[in-house]
């Protein structure tokens, strides 16, 4: 199952991504964590220094060699059988870009927050291009891919997650968090990307009620305030925090899996039609 945590900056995306990864590890599940945020917080939260790992945006040539094509524009139109990527076991390209964190956890970092991109002539969309198609070609089997996304709706609109199984908004019960997720949800609805909600730090106010009323049937669960989350020490978390994430992951595992490249084609067709 391939999922991306999205939402407003500061809504808790990186923390919830970390919690999902660590809970899956706790459940003895294989998981590929992908840090697609400028701040690269998921990488740090997992105890890795991004300066000491291979960054995906530096491997365009190797990515194209792995697909057997000359440029990314051919991936959807070549008509060729393009090899799938895997992470359990890892294919040659994934082996190059993934850092093994533990027996069950691997990490890929795009490197959007890396100092070397300051001198790149590409915008974050161009730098993220390999990930967009990597996700579409990735066969994760029965394992999980957990992506920590850039804040806001821009990367959703670009189609970075068009080839995954679900976009999941981390939404706090306040005005701006709800507003950003409404934008994300609308893009997903228009482009046929499944979109769901986790309520982070629920508070019984008008915005909490609005989330429940507006997204009824799309809410996967809630994560209550747990001060220990800020320490990123799984052993110190409240039992109810872990149980809540276990239930959320169970709900996620019941979602329908999508066909990666076909889903990207659908997204591109909708965008090009202007509807």
């Amino acid at each position: 199952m391939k999922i991306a945590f999205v939402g407003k900056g500061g809504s808790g995306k990186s923390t919830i991504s970390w919690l999902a990864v660590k809970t899956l590890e706790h459940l003895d599940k294989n998981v590929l964590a992908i840090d697609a945020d400028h701040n690269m917080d998921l990488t740090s939260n997992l105890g890795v220094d991004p300066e000491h790992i291979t960054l995906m945006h530096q491997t365009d040539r190797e990515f194209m060699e792995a697909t057997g094509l000359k440029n990314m524009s051919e991936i959807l139109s070549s008509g060729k059988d393009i090899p799938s990527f895997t992470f359990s076991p890892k294919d040659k390209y994934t082996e190059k870009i993934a850092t093994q964190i533990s027996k069950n956890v691997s990490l890929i970092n795009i490197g959007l927050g890396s100092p070397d991109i300051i001198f790149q002539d590409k915008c974050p969309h161009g730098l993220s291009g390999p990930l967009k198609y990597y996700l579409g070609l990735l066969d994760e089997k029965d394992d999980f891919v957990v992506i920590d996304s850039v804040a806001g709706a821009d990367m959703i609109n670009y189609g970075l997650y068009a080839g995954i199984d679900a976009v999941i908004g981390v939404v706090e019960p306040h005005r701006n968090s709800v507003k950003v997720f409404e934008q994300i949800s609308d893009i997903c609805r228009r482009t046929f990307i499944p979109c769901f909600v986790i309520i982070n730090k629920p508070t019984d106010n008008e915005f909490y009620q609005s989330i429940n009323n507006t997204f009824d049937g799309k809410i996967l669960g809630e994560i209550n305030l747990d001060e220990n989350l800020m320490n990123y020490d799984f052993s110190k978390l409240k039992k109810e925090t872990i149980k809540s994430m276990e239930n959320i992951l169970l709900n996620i595992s019941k979602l329908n899996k999508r066909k990666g490249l076909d889903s990207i084609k659908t997204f591109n067709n909708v965008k090009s039609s202007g509807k």
Side-chain angles (χ1 to χ4, degrees):
M1 187 67 66
K2 291 175 274 196
I3 59 173
F5 290 110
V6 303
K8 177 186 173 295
S11 65
K13 299 185 312 313
S14 297
T15 299
I16 297 300
S17 298
W18 173 85
L19 178 59
V21 170
K22 297 299 289 185
T23 303
L24 287 164
E25 181 183 37
H26 173 70
L27 295 171
D28 200 30
K29 304 290 186 181
N30 291 324
V31 55
L32 176 62
I34 299 181
D35 194 332
D37 194 2
H38 290 92
N39 295 327
M40 302 194 292
D41 286 339
L42 179 59
T43 299
S44 299
N45 295 346
L46 290 170
V48 177
D49 185 344
E51 292 188 4
H52 297 153
I53 61 175
T54 298
L55 302 175
M56 192 176 199
H57 82 265
Q58 299 169 338
T59 64
D60 283 19
R61 179 176 58 81
E62 292 89 342
F63 176 80
M64 296 317 305
E65 287 176 353
T67 64
L69 302 173
K70 293 182 179 179
N71 57 69
M72 286 185 212
S73 64
E74 298 179 29
I75 291 176
L76 298 181
S77 61
S78 70
K80 297 179 181 179
D81 289 330
I82 303 173
S84 296
F85 295 109
T86 60
F87 72 90
S88 183
K90 296 181 179 69
D91 62 89
K92 184 177 179 180
Y93 175 69
T94 302
E95 183 71 42
K96 177 177 178 59
I97 62 172
T99 299
Q100 197 71 32
I101 304 295
S102 67
K103 178 175 72 75
N104 295 93
V105 180
S106 300
L107 169 71
I108 290 175
N109 189 321
I110 299 181
L112 295 183
S114 175
D116 68 333
I117 71 166
I118 296 173
F119 304 103
Q120 290 267 4
D121 57 358
K122 291 183 179 180
C123 68
H125 297 159
L127 294 169
S128 302
L131 178 61
K132 176 178 180 177
Y133 294 105
Y134 177 84
L135 291 170
L137 289 163
L138 178 60
D139 180 8
E140 79 282 13
K141 302 182 177 67
D142 294 324
D143 299 324
F144 273 79
V145 179
V146 175
I147 308 159
D148 182 24
S149 177
V150 172
D154 186 52
M155 283 300 186
I156 312 295
N157 196 43
Y158 165 63
L160 184 58
Y161 307 126
I164 70 172
D165 299 308
V167 163
I168 301 173
V170 178
V171 185
E172 293 181 311
H174 63 71
R175 188 187 314 276
N176 292 337
S177 186
V178 174
K179 181 180 178 181
V180 170
F181 182 68
E182 285 175 342
Q183 295 172 342
I184 291 170
S185 178
D186 187 53
I187 295 169
C188 289
R189 178 183 60 80
R190 291 170 180 265
T191 55
F192 304 103
I193 300 174
C195 186
F196 299 89
V197 181
I198 292 174
I199 303 177
N200 190 30
K201 293 179 280 190
T203 303
D204 191 9
N205 59 19
E206 61 179 299
F207 302 110
Y208 177 75
Q209 298 302 326
S210 173
I211 296 167
N212 279 279
N213 292 335
T214 304
F215 302 107
D216 182 43
K218 296 291 186 179
I219 299 173
L220 297 170
E222 302 180 355
I223 299 294
N224 290 318
L225 177 65
D226 184 345
E227 295 85 354
N228 295 310
L229 275 170
M230 295 300 98
N231 296 320
Y232 300 103
D233 184 342
F234 191 80
S235 67
K236 294 181 179 179
L237 296 182
K238 296 177 181 177
K239 290 182 179 179
E240 52 264 38
T241 301
I242 299 171
K243 186 62 178 177
S244 293
M245 181 51 75
E246 287 180 351
N247 289 336
I248 288 169
L249 290 167
L250 178 61
N251 289 332
I252 290 171
S253 69
K254 295 176 181 177
L255 300 176
N256 293 326
K257 296 187 70 170
R258 305 170 75 219
K259 295 181 179 179
L261 290 187
D262 288 345
S263 299
I264 296 174
K265 288 178 183 178
T266 297
F267 177 92
N268 289 351
N269 290 337
V270 172
K271 289 282 287 185
S272 62
S273 72
K275 296 180 180 180

